[in-house]
Amino acid sequence: MEHPTARVREIVLETDRLLLRPWQVSEAAVQREMWTERDPRVPPHRRIDAEGHPTLEDVEDWIRSWSQSGSPRVLAAERKASGDVIGYCGLIPNTDGSDDEPELAFELLRRVWGQGYATEAARAVLGWAQASGYRRLWATVRDWNGASRGVLAKLGFVETGRVDPDEVHGDSLFLARDL
Ligand SMILES: CC(C)(COP(=O)(O)OP(=O)(O)OC[C@H]1O[C@@H](n2cnc3c(N)ncnc32)[C@H](O)[C@@H]1OP(=O)(O)O)[C@@H](O)C(=O)NCCC(=O)NCCS
């Protein structure tokens, strides 16, 4: 099996409306904007803290380190018509730390929600994962996250019955999809 991590710098997936390709440092503001937009129920380590971290410079440093390490395999989603980056979609190690059955991850700027972009991007990532030899993908989603659950259902992910209970931030549901 060819491991996509080694080839992340070259990965470009194309859909009708999107290119999925590695992040550029100049696009750090898009990532930070997504951090500022996160739902208040998202746990604090994934939200901007009281000191303003991650700062724009923090995010720029992450992108530089990703381009050197070839990780993570989370691709920027660029709209072909306008050339703007609207979010990301890709694969991350699953909750148990295993890379053999990675987890699908996606997030978009709020202003583009509801136009089918996440489903379109994720379908391309599923095809890429299948072509790379993966047999199964995971997804974790908070029980309150209707939009993400909607995307995962359209992609054919099914609930496995595994749940990490969390009274504060919402239970995390574990879904899987065989490829
Ligand atoms: C999840 C997310 C990426 C979806 O992006 P999107 O481009 O709006 O998604 P799509 O338009 O492709 O599909 C969303 C589907 O969910 C449905 N949906 C949206 N909100 C919903 C809700 N509250 N309850 C149920 N279904 C909902 C939509 O109707 C749509 O289905 P449809 O095409 O059958 O109408 C976006 O909401 C986001 O970035 N959320 C924050 C980050 C996040 O939650 N990431 C996933 C973590 S598991």
Side-chain angles (χ1 to χ4, degrees), residues 106-108 112-119 140-141 145-148 150-151 154:
F106 44 73
E107 183 171 15
L108 299 177
V112 304
W113 287 9
Q115 300 175 58
Y117 284 123
T119 306
T140 54
V141 60
N145 195 340
S148 182
V151 172
K154 284 193 286 180

Side-chain angles (χ1 to χ4, degrees), residues 57-174:
E57 292 72 26
D58 293 333
V59 180
E60 288 173 349
D61 287 345
W62 295 344
I63 297 174
R64 277 189 203 96
S65 70
W66 297 342
S67 65
Q68 281 155 19
S69 67
S71 167
R73 294 153 290 154
V74 173
L75 302 167
E78 175 186 321
R79 284 197 282 200
K80 290 199 285 193
S82 45
D84 58 333
V85 172
I86 56 168
Y88 65 77
C89 187
L91 302 177
I92 58 175
N94 70 29
T95 308
D96 300 325
S98 160
D99 225 4
D100 292 339
E101 295 185 357
E103 186 170 315
L104 178 69
F106 44 73
E107 183 171 15
L108 299 177
L109 291 167
R110 281 185 186 260
R111 58 179 168 272
V112 304
W113 287 9
Q115 300 175 58
Y117 284 123
T119 306
E120 185 172 325
R123 277 195 211 290
V125 169
L126 252 59
W128 166 44
Q130 194 168 29
S132 301
Y134 291 112
R135 298 288 174 82
R136 187 180 223 212
L137 295 184
W138 290 86
T140 54
V141 60
R142 301 274 171 186
D143 54 1
W144 49 261
N145 195 340
S148 182
R149 293 178 70 174
V151 172
L152 293 169
K154 284 193 286 180
L155 294 168
F157 279 79
V158 292
E159 291 188 29
T160 61
R162 179 176 167 186
V163 179
D164 270 0
D166 184 335
E167 281 183 16
V168 179
H169 305 108
D171 293 351
S172 281
L173 314 179
F174 286 67

